[in-house]
Amino acid sequence: MKKNKSMIFWFCLPALLSLLIMFVYPVCRTVAMSFFQVESLTASTADWSFYGLNNYLKIFKSQSFLTSMQNMLMIWVVGGVFTLALAMLMAVVVTSGIRGKKFFRAAIYMPNIISAVALATMWIQYIFQYDHGLLNEIVMLFGGDKIKWLGSDIKFWAMTASFIFGSVGYYMLIYISGIEGIPQDLFEAATIDGASKGKQFFSITLPLLKGVIKTSVTFWSINTTTFFLWTKMFSPIDTEQSTIVPVVYLYDTVFGGKGVINRDAGAGAAVGVVLTLIIIAVYVVTERLFRGSDLEY
C-alpha cells in the first residue's frame, strides 16, 4: 500500500511542479508586483519600491485605460448577446433534424479552424476594403456611396462583427452538446401534449441549458478580457482609441507603445489583477444566476 502511494506521488510530482512553476508562481509574483513600483518585468525584487495602491490609482486615472475598459464592456455585452444568441439559434436548428446536419455543423464551425490572423486578414482585405471590398460592392450595387468601414468612427464595430463571426461556431458546439444531452422523452411527451416547437424551447430546452449557458458566459468573458490579436490586426501600427482594450493597454504599459515613454511593469501587473477580478466576479454572478441547473456541460 505504501509502495502504491509512493508511486502515485512520484507520478504526480512533475505535474505538480509544472503547476507551481508555470502558474502559481507567476500569479503570485504578478499580484505582488502590482503593489510595487517596477520598471521591468525582469527586474530583481531588490529593485522593487513599495507603491501601495498607487498603481491601481494610476491606471484608473488614465483615459486610455478607461476607454479600453469601455471598449471591452461593449464587446462583452453587445458581442456576447449576438454571439451567444446566434450560437443558440444555430444549435437549435442543427439539432432539429434538418437534412445535411453534418454539413451545416462543419460549415458554421469552420471559421474556428482557420487561423485568427488569416480570418482577420480576410475581413480587412476582402470584406471591409474601401475600393474593392465585398461590403462596398454590395452598397454600390444598391446605388449607395462607398463607406470607410475601417475609419476610426466605425472601426470598432467592424472589428467586433469580425470577432463575432469567428466565435459563433465554437459556442454552437457547446450548445449542441447540451441539447443532445437532454432526454428525448421530454420532447416527445411535450409534442403529444400539443406543445409547439417554440413552447418546447422556452419550457424544456432553455431551462435545462442553464449549466451550458453559464459555461458559455464564463468562456466568453475570458475571451473578451484576453482580446488582443484582433485589436492588433485592426490597428497594426499604433494603438488606436477606437480599438484599444485592457490587454493592449497592459502590453503598451509594460513593453512600450504609442504615447508610452516610461515602461511600468507594476501598473501592467495592476491591469492584469483587475482583469482577473472581473472574470472572478462574472463567474460568481453567473453561478448565482444559473444555480440549480439540471444539466451541466
Side-chain angles (χ1 to χ4, degrees), residues 11-226:
F11 273 114
C12 293
L13 185 60
L16 180 62
L17 290 176
S18 299
L19 178 67
L20 292 174
I21 295 172
M22 294 187 291
F23 181 76
V24 176
Y25 170 71
V27 168
C28 294
R29 182 183 174 90
T30 300
V31 173
M33 189 183 293
S34 68
F35 296 102
F36 287 82
Q37 193 170 24
V38 187
E39 180 179 352
S40 173
L41 283 175
T42 57
S44 172
T45 53
D47 298 327
W48 294 11
S49 300
F50 185 71
Y51 211 39
L53 296 175
N54 287 323
N55 282 323
Y56 294 92
L57 295 176
K58 177 181 178 180
I59 62 175
F60 278 105
K61 287 181 180 178
S62 169
Q63 185 58 47
S64 294
F65 177 73
L66 295 178
T67 301
S68 71
M69 291 291 287
Q70 181 181 350
N71 288 343
M72 184 185 72
L73 179 62
M74 293 296 291
I75 295 172
W76 185 76
V77 176
V78 179
V81 168
F82 278 97
T83 300
L84 300 183
L86 286 172
M88 177 70 77
L89 176 62
M90 299 297 180
V92 171
V93 171
V94 168
T95 56
S96 64
I98 62 170
R99 301 177 66 179
K101 178 176 74 172
K102 292 183 179 179
F103 168 77
F104 289 113
R105 182 185 298 187
I108 297 171
Y109 185 74
M110 187 173 292
N112 292 270
I113 301 174
I114 303 172
S115 165
V117 174
L119 191 62
T121 302
M122 178 195 74
W123 278 91
I124 294 170
Q125 297 295 332
Y126 302 108
I127 308 296
F128 296 130
Q129 209 270 342
Y130 181 76
D131 293 320
H132 308 291
L134 177 62
L135 285 181
N136 275 338
E137 292 292 334
I138 295 174
V139 170
M140 292 177 63
L141 183 65
F142 287 95
D145 296 326
K146 291 181 179 180
I147 301 173
K148 290 185 177 181
W149 300 101
L150 298 179
S152 59
D153 51 342
I154 58 175
K155 180 183 284 190
F156 172 81
W157 297 111
M159 178 184 68
T160 304
S162 307
F163 183 56
I164 291 172
F165 175 83
S167 303
V168 169
Y170 174 76
Y171 293 96
M172 179 197 70
L173 287 187
I174 296 178
Y175 286 135
I176 287 176
S177 66
I179 294 173
E180 290 181 342
I182 299 175
Q184 293 301 308
D185 295 347
L186 297 177
F187 295 106
E188 293 173 2
T191 302
I192 293 173
D193 290 339
S196 64
K197 291 293 184 181
K199 184 78 171 178
Q200 292 179 30
F201 174 76
F202 288 105
S203 300
I204 300 175
T205 305
L206 205 55
L208 291 179
L209 288 181
K210 284 184 178 180
V212 178
I213 295 174
K214 178 179 65 178
T215 300
S216 299
V217 172
T218 303
F219 284 177
W220 177 256
S221 302
I222 295 172
N223 289 336
T224 303
T225 53
T226 56

